């Protein structure tokens, strides 16, 4: 007489369960490390070519399958007469690998109103596929050459920040 395997129709979630090995479908996504950087260095440029800011932070992933969640808040302002500020997030210095142009701060962002419009936030999930140290950096540029200046951390109270989180791979 053959045996029939009976499967449970429900699980009592009030019980405790101990597993060994891999639990399929449980996923990954655990935070392995968090690194925070703040920067208050004033920088300005009147050119439309991107220049790295001093908001830079390195992280060394523990696995090639890890993801890096990057959270940036960049204080930026355009000077009078300027048409805007362009911002980018890069993996590597000197725009070695542009991840995204994440904000163009436009006309209403003049110095006089920077407290209302002079900050931008951006989130990006990167898959660097390495266990070597990686540096993430923001870069900025004038929207158009010769129209004033683009500035980051324009006043003494301005602080930009970057948070890097290594997330384990999904199973």
């Amino acid at each position: 007489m053959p045996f029939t395997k009976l499967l449970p129709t429900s699980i009592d979630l009030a019980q405790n369960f101990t597993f060994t090995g891999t639990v399929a479908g449980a996923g990954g996504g655990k935070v392995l490390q968090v690194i925070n950087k703040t920067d208050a260095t004033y920088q300005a440029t009147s050119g439309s070519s991107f220049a790295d800011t001093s908001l830079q932070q390195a992280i060394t992933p523990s696995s090639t399958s890890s993801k890096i969640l990057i959270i940036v808040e960049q204080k930026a302002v355009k000077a009078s007469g300027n048409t805007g500020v362009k911002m980018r997030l890069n993996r590597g210095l000197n725009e070695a690998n542009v991840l995204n142009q994440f904000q163009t701060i436009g006309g209403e962002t003049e110095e006089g109103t920077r407290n209302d419009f002079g900050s931008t936030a951006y989130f990006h999930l990167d898959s660097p596929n390495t266990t070597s140290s990686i540096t993430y950096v923001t870069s900025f540029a004038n929207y158009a050459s010769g129209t004033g200046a683009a500035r980051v951390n324009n006043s003494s109270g301005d602080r930009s920040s970057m948070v890097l989180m290594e997330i384990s791979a999904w199973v």
Side-chain angles (χ1 to χ4, degrees):
M1 172 186 238
F3 289 99
T4 302
K5 182 178 180 183
L6 299 176
L7 299 174
T9 58
S10 65
I11 296 175
D12 180 1
L13 296 177
Q15 295 179 349
N16 292 322
F17 299 92
T18 303
F19 297 97
T20 60
T22 301
V23 179
K30 294 164 185 64
V31 176
L32 301 177
Q33 61 176 313
V34 178
I35 300 172
N36 182 49
K37 167 77 181 259
T38 59
D39 180 68
T41 306
Y42 168 83
Q43 291 176 270
T45 184
S46 58
S48 60
S49 296
F50 282 89
D52 288 348
T53 71
S54 54
L55 184 59
Q56 305 173 7
Q57 182 58 54
I59 189 169
T60 304
S62 58
S63 169
T64 58
S65 60
S66 290
K67 310 282 188 202
I68 306 297
L69 178 61
I70 306 122
I71 303 169
V72 174
E73 182 194 17
Q74 183 77 62
K75 303 291 186 180
V77 63
K78 73 177 193 73
S80 179
N82 189 349
T83 56
V85 180
K86 299 183 287 186
M87 301 296 305
R88 283 187 177 165
L89 175 64
N90 312 298
R91 184 188 325 129
L93 302 176
N94 302 312
E95 297 193 304
N97 187 347
V98 176
L99 299 176
N100 210 333
Q101 182 166 317
F102 62 92
Q103 182 71 10
T104 301
I105 300 172
E108 67 272 37
T109 321
E110 292 186 24
E111 286 182 85
T113 60
R114 79 177 190 297
N115 291 330
D116 295 329
F117 298 100
S119 180
T120 186
Y122 184 74
F123 303 84
H124 184 84
L125 185 62
D126 190 26
S127 302
N129 194 30
T130 186
T131 56
S132 297
S133 179
I134 308 160
T135 298
Y136 292 97
V137 59
T138 59
S139 60
F140 74 119
N142 230 12
Y143 195 75
S145 286
T147 59
R151 301 174 183 169
V152 294
N153 299 323
N154 189 53
S155 75
S156 62
D158 288 348
R159 288 196 178 293
S160 297
S161 63
M162 179 184 295
V163 177
L164 303 178
M165 286 192 256
E166 181 184 2
I167 311 295
S168 66
W170 284 257
V171 179

